[in-house]
Amino acid sequence: MATVFREGFLKGRAALITGGGTGICRGLALALAGAGCDVAITSRSAEHLEPTAGDLRAIGVRAHAVTGDVRQPADVARVVGESVEALGRLDVLINGAAGNFICLAENLSPNGFGTVVDIDLKGTFNVSKAALPHLKRHGGVVLSISATLHYLGSIAQAHVSAAKAGIDALTRVLAAEWGPYGIRVNGIAPGPTDGTEGVRRLTSEATRAAIAQNCPLGRLTTIEDLANATLFLCSDAAAFITGVTLVVDGGLWLRSARVLEAMGEATQP
């Protein structure tokens, strides 16, 4: 990752990242560690956590890996408690646990819809609420990973669009409620992110070509783009920014009707 920020500017702070073992959130964990932040990561699967925890320690920060399910409040309380005990404090919470799949609404089961809402939206609420007492001690940052899918009608994405729209609403409400505690609450809405499992599984080569062609800045989002946005929002440079969801997609959503046409053709029977 190119050096954009002052070395060690998050030293002495500690973060908890849900979904932090893989994909985008692994990249965010490594970026925070590179800035000197101690990092705890959680996921339902230990096999996703330990390699990343090892990479974090190799950077030279304290790291803690703990399994848990963000849908289960008892699990969440344990995860947050263990993370704070291991790192000594909590300054940054990144809500990144998520689930998604391609399915037209007419074929979507109530269970399928509910599972995504439970992980993405309810999980974000569960972890944020459990982290609140610890964030109140020093002030801090909550950053939730959203999406741009709900800005327009994204075909075969009713479930995740509903969940991410809820996350954006939650971000605004918590920013208003928790600002007096010195806690800033923001979100990041990534575009389709190159090299992630989601893009590999949910898009085709034709869709990825359409994305790059129609994006004003001419390419897919990268994990480095998202890491830089995260570092900014977690830094003192963003000390007066709260209640916003920052779109990091190169302007793609402004032209996404064209991309949606390509996705629609790919999902029609």
Side-chain angles (χ1 to χ4, degrees), residues 56-77:
L56 294 169
R57 295 184 187 105
I59 292 172
V61 301
R62 291 183 296 170
H64 181 66
V66 53
T67 57
D69 188 339
V70 297
R71 297 172 293 183
Q72 304 298 328
D75 260 20
V76 169

Side-chain angles (χ1 to χ4, degrees), residues 1 5-11 27-39 56 59-61 231:
M1 180 180 295
F5 300 89
R6 175 173 53 83
E7 183 177 355
F9 75 96
L10 292 179
K11 188 175 180 60
L28 303 187
L30 294 171
L32 288 172
C37 188
D38 296 326
V39 181
L56 294 169
I59 292 172
V61 301
L231 291 173

Side-chain angles (χ1 to χ4, degrees), residues 203-215 218-220 252 259 262:
T203 67
S204 65
E205 184 175 345
T207 303
R208 292 190 290 274
I211 290 168
Q213 181 179 357
N214 287 289
C215 178
R219 60 173 174 81
L220 276 68
L252 176 66
V259 179

Side-chain angles (χ1 to χ4, degrees), residues 10 23 45 47 85 92 106 125 132 136 138 143 196 209 212 216 245 251:
L10 292 179
S45 173
E47 67 178 317
E85 183 177 0
V92 175
E106 65 183 286
F125 174 77
L132 176 60
K136 287 168 76 172
H138 310 283
L143 188 63
T196 60
T245 296

Side-chain angles (χ1 to χ4, degrees), residues 9 42 92 96 101 132 153 253 265:
F9 75 96
T42 184
V92 175
F101 53 90
L132 176 60
W253 84 269
E265 292 169 1

Side-chain angles (χ1 to χ4, degrees), residues 19 22 28 33 55 82 115 145 161 171 201 230 253 258:
T22 59
L28 303 187
D55 291 340
E82 287 188 18
T115 296
I145 306 302
S161 294
T171 291
R201 182 167 51 86
T230 296
W253 84 269
R258 298 177 185 177

Side-chain angles (χ1 to χ4, degrees), residues 108-115:
L108 184 60
S109 71
N111 183 65
F113 184 92
T115 296

